[in-house]
């Protein structure tokens, strides 16, 4: 295929698509040029289904090449290593709108690789890669029910803007990424500065209008150069096994779904599933492989019955597995100060979901250093989320966070970051850690609730408390009926069609995240879900505020205390000293105090003890202090000469006390009136053009009376 180019003017910037020249052996490959951003997206699929798996093996990657922003990678090897957090989050963001658009039963392995070759920070490489990923699949021979596209939406001075520039985003109160098809939205990521539900809905719909244009452009390209789709054999269970399992176990499994307690419900369904699997295993098979496949299908059929019953109960009878109303939240419990030595701690429980959150305060030089393609080079606030296997009663891998944990942590971080004080108001690096103790639905939102209380116990002056809730959706494509659920539990999430997480304060939304398994969500469903989430959020906030109503005024005794001061930027070198000698001396003399100095002369001093902070502050003040004519000091004699004495005024600043300026009376020898170590009051009388300081003790002494004055007296 010869090289082909396609062009679109999109929101004031040009998009150019190139195909047929680069990566021609991939099933689909496109170069996307958006401003000066250039990405390569490729799609490949295996010819046969991956054997022995019961899921769709789709892999999406976002490859950050640091040469794209003119950087050489850090580290010993000086080459790109494991994906950055930004790359992981972007890969997830591209995966989520693409995955629902493959046919049910698709088991062939699909790999979509997005490589960033050049970055124009004002032309989003993330959105270019999402567009390219969809288009690479669409023009390939891989069956895919796209296209999809995504846009970023900001709001500057009340006006919605698609794919805003970096400068515009600094002024924006909405940071929204939305993706979907021409018909409906199917992925949302958002942060916002307490924006109302109505305004957020308007931003979502604005984003969808832009997506329609991008999808139409892709469809034009597919007509021009798209390949004919290959035939894929979709996985389906054996009808004989299906009939036999349903005849013997369907009624019992449907009844077990209505058991209210999670572990009892899961235990009963597991037992019935094991019985069904054993029944099928006892039949005769030509090989052990055939037997294993049949047993696996029996278990899959049982899961399907369970899913059907959960969905039927909710859509038809408006009955949830645990008996709640569709807008009812599970029992709430909030606690604080569980851990005496940490800077802040809280425990939040919602039903069978429980999160322990801790807050740690550190110096600003504890900021996380960022090495990726974004303009951000460090991060002051970190929200880390951990999901150990014991929280769901299982064994499993412990270690570095996976994609899911990174994604949930980023969502919580985005929700809480909107209400944090500025650096000037609270000059600390802040880290919250959410450890999930128990999980049955939306532990990420529980981590936001626990995180808010943890921050308040640590004395972080947040602007307003934040709570989060997860909404669900069960939809019948045939009838069009649907039910929006408040506070979904694990079973409703697993068998449902939507996981829509909403976090915010009483005044508005601070974060959104939506994933769906259907092709898209309409405006009416969004509206209903946001309204139910608002009601639930206020109820959760009431429970949290009954436990802790506002941020503590005092920090933990174990948290570092601070003092701030400003010095002349020209004096920074004096405070640091040659090779760091001076600042290291201050640190050593002040019990390893932490000191941050900005280029503008702002100095922040950290230590657990206020007296130590004051000592360090005084030492810095002495270094940067400048003597002025007229200033008076209690000076220490540090050197004696025939012509006078050198006295230390402060720090490393000395002045010359000439012999004639010691007293009103004649002094023959300096040693007659002064010795080393004496303290004498002096006044600065002159500073010459070389900075040399002359002082006088005589100027502070009363003049002796003349003979005439004595006589008169």
């Amino acid at each position: 295929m010869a090289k082909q180019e396609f062009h679109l003017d999109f929101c004031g910037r040009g998009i150019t698509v190139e195909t047929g020249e680069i990566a021609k052996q991939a099933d689909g490959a496109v170069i996307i040029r958006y401003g000066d951003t250039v990405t390569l997206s490729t799609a490949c699929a295996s010819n046969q289904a991956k054997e022995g798996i019961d899921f769709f093996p789709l892999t999406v990657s976002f490859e950050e090449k640091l040469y794209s922003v003119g950087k050489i990678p850090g580290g010993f090897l000086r080459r790109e290593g494991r994906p950055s957090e930004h790359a992981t989050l972007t890969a997830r963001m591209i995966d989520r709108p693409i995955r629902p658009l493959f046919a049910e039963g698709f088991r062939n392995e699909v790999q979509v690789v997005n490589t960033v070759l050049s970055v124009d920070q004002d032309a989003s490489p993330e959105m270019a890669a999402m567009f390219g990923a969809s288009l690479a699949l669409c023009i390939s021979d891989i069956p895919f029910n796209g296209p999809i596209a995504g846009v970023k939406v900001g709001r500057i001075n009340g006006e919605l803007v698609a794919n805003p520039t970096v400068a515009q985003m600094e002024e924006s109160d909405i940071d929204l990424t939305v993706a979907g098809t021409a018909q409906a939205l199917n992925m949302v990521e958002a942060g916002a500065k307490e924006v109302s539900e109505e305004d957020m809905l308007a931003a979502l719909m604005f984003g969808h209008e832009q997506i329609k244009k991008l999808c139409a452009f892709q469809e034009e390209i597919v007509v021009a150069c798209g390949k004919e789709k290959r035939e894929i054999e979709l996985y389906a269970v054996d009808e004989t096994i299906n009939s036999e399992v349903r005849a013997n176990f369907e009624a019992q499994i449907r009844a077990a779904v209505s058991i209210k307690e999670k572990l009892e419900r899961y235990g009963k369904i597991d037992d019935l599933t094991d019985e069904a699997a054993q029944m099928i295993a006892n039949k005769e098979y030509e090989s052990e492989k055939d037997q294993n496949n049949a047993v696996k299908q029996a278990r899959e059929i049982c899961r399907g019955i369970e899913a059907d019953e959960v969905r039927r109960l909710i859509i038809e009878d408006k009955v949830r597995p645990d008996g709640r109303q569709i807008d009812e939240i599970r029992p709430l419990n909030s606690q604080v100060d569980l851990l005496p030595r940490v800077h802040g701690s809280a425990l939040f429980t919602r039903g069978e979901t429980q999160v322990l959150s801790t807050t740690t305060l550190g110096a600003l030089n504890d900021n996380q250093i960022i090495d990726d393609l974004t303009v951000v080079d460090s991060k002051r606030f970190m929200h880390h989320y951990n999901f150990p296997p014991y929280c769901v009663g299982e064994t499993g891998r412990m270690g570095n966070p996976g994609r899911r944990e990174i994604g949930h942590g980023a969502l919580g971080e985005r929700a809480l970051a909107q209400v944090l004080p500025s650096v000037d108001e609270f000059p600390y690096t802040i880290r919250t850690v959410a450890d999930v103790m128990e999980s049955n639905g939306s532990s990420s939102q529980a981590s936001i609730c626990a995180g808010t209380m943890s921050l308040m116990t640590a004395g972080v002056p947040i602007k307003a408390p934040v709570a989060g809730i997860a909404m669900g959706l069960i939809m019948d494509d045939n009838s069009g009926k649907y039910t929006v659920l408040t506070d979904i539990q694990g079973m409703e999430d697993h068998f449902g069609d939507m996981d829509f997480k909403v976090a915010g304060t009483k005044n508005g939304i601070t974060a959104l995240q939506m994933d769906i398994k259907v092709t898209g969500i309409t405006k009416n469903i969004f509206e209903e879900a946001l309204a139910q989430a608002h009601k639930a959020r206020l109820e959760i906030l009431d429970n949290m505020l009954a436990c802790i109503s506002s941020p503590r005024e005092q920090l933990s005794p174990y948290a570092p205390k601070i003092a701030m001061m400003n010095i002349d930027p020209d004096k920074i070198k004096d405070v640091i000293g040659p090779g760091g000698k001076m600042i290291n001396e201050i640190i050593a003399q002040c019990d390893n105090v932490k000191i941050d100095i900005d280029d503008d002369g702002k100095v922040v001093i950290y230590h657990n003890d206020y007296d130590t902070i004051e000592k360090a502050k005084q030492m810095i003040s002495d270094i940067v202090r400048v003597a002025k004519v007229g200033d008076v000091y209690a000076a220490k004699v540090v050197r004696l000469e025939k012509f006078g004495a050198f006295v230390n005024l402060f720090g490393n600043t000395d002045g010359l006390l000439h012999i004639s300026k010691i007293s009103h009376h004649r002094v023959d020898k300096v040693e007659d009136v002064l010795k080393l170590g004496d303290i004498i009051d002096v006044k600065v009388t002159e500073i010459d053009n070389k900075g040399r300081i002359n002082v006088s003790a005589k100027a502070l002494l009363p003049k002796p009376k003349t003979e005439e004055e004595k006589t008169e007296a």
Side-chain angles (χ1 to χ4, degrees), residues 56-77:
F56 170 36
L58 168 67
T59 305
V60 177
S61 67
F62 184 77
E63 302 293 321
E64 293 181 312
K65 300 298 184 182
L66 288 182
Y67 57 70
S68 67
V69 288
K71 288 183 182 179
I72 294 175
F76 181 75
L77 296 178

Side-chain angles (χ1 to χ4, degrees), residues 181-417:
T181 65
Q183 290 71 43
L185 298 176
N186 66 359
M187 193 282 297
V188 175
E189 285 276 1
K193 293 179 170 61
E194 298 183 88
V195 169
S196 70
E197 281 73 13
E198 295 77 16
D199 288 350
M200 184 59 75
L201 184 60
L204 290 167
M205 294 303 106
F206 172 82
H208 190 221
E209 290 304 311
Q210 314 312 312
I211 286 169
K212 291 177 183 178
K213 300 173 189 176
L214 295 173
C215 288
F217 181 41
Q218 290 185 57
E219 287 166 356
E220 292 174 18
I221 298 171
V222 172
V223 170
C225 63
K227 299 177 184 177
E228 183 179 346
K229 298 299 183 182
R230 72 177 85 163
E231 289 292 327
I232 296 286
E233 183 180 349
L234 299 176
Y235 170 81
V237 297
D238 183 273
E239 191 51 46
T240 302
I241 298 174
N242 185 39
S243 298
E244 191 165 351
V245 169
R246 286 183 178 274
N248 287 277
F249 292 95
E250 182 166 7
Q252 296 178 72
I253 292 174
R254 287 185 181 273
V257 166
S258 295
I259 297 173
K260 289 186 179 181
E261 202 277 319
K262 172 190 169 182
L263 294 181
E264 183 184 350
R265 177 172 65 248
Y266 284 4
K268 181 63 175 177
I269 292 172
D270 287 347
D271 290 344
L272 292 168
T273 301
D274 289 343
E275 288 181 37
Q278 189 60 50
M279 178 188 74
I280 297 301
N282 289 338
K283 297 183 175 296
E284 292 187 5
Y285 298 93
E286 292 184 2
S287 67
E288 185 178 346
K289 179 181 175 182
D290 289 344
Q291 182 188 41
N292 290 338
N293 285 337
V295 168
K296 185 177 289 187
Q297 289 193 12
R299 292 185 177 278
E300 186 177 341
I301 292 161
C302 290
R303 287 197 300 272
I305 295 168
E306 182 186 359
D308 289 345
E309 179 63 8
V310 169
R311 297 172 65 83
R312 186 197 68 78
L313 284 169
I314 292 171
I315 292 177
E316 299 295 336
D317 301 341
K318 305 297 182 186
V319 173
R320 302 174 71 168
D322 58 2
R324 281 182 292 148
Q325 299 295 312
I326 61 172
D327 62 349
E328 184 180 349
I329 303 174
R330 288 169 290 176
L332 303 171
N333 181 264
S334 299
Q335 300 178 43
V336 295
D337 299 328
L338 286 82
L339 307 175
R341 287 282 178 142
V342 304
H343 300 165
S345 63
L347 184 73
F348 179 80
T349 307
R350 188 189 61 245
E352 295 166 309
T353 294
Q354 185 179 74
V355 174
L356 174 67
S357 176
T358 57
T359 295
T360 306
L361 305 178
L364 290 175
N365 60 17
D366 289 330
N367 282 4
Q368 181 184 355
I369 305 302
I370 306 296
D371 191 19
D372 59 23
L373 305 186
T374 67
V375 295
V376 179
D377 56 11
S378 67
K379 192 161 63 172
R380 171 202 176 208
F381 173 55
M382 296 155 278
H383 174 78
H384 294 151
Y385 169 97
N386 300 313
F387 193 90
Y390 64 74
C391 73
V392 286
E394 297 176 358
T395 59
R397 183 186 69 89
M398 296 286 289
N400 293 328
R403 280 191 170 195
R404 180 178 179 275
E405 288 174 296
I406 291 172
H408 282 9
L411 173 61
E413 186 171 292
R414 192 161 51 245
L416 295 169

Side-chain angles (χ1 to χ4, degrees), residues 438-495:
E438 187 179 358
S439 180
N440 182 16
S442 194
S443 52
S444 67
Q445 299 308 283
S447 81
I448 293 170
C449 300
T452 291
M453 295 191 295
S454 173
L455 287 166
M456 290 199 290
T457 62
V460 180
I462 59 174
K463 297 169 187 173
V466 179
I469 191 70
M471 312 302 295
L473 173 73
I474 307 293
M475 177 185 287
D476 185 342
D477 289 332
N478 296 323
S479 67
K481 292 181 179 179
Y482 69 87
T483 299
V484 175
L485 302 171
T486 296
D487 182 23
I488 55 173
Q489 58 178 313
M491 180 179 280
E492 293 164 339
D493 183 11
H494 184 65
F495 297 131

Side-chain angles (χ1 to χ4, degrees), residues 547-608:
C547 178
I548 179 167
S549 59
S550 61
R552 298 258 170 84
E553 293 187 4
Q554 297 293 325
L555 301 182
S556 160
Y558 305 105
K561 313 305 184 296
I562 63 169
M564 290 183 288
M565 60 190 296
N566 290 291
I567 64 174
D568 185 338
D570 292 337
K571 292 286 185 178
I572 293 175
K573 62 181 183 299
D574 297 328
V575 175
I576 294 174
K581 179 182 177 182
M582 187 59 65
I583 197 165
N584 287 333
E585 187 177 316
I586 296 171
I587 291 169
Q589 290 186 31
C590 299
D591 191 25
N592 291 315
V593 68
K594 283 192 173 184
I595 302 171
D596 288 336
I597 305 177
D598 290 343
D599 292 340
D600 62 359
K602 179 180 176 182
V603 180
V604 186
I605 307 167
Y606 305 84
H607 197 273
N608 288 353

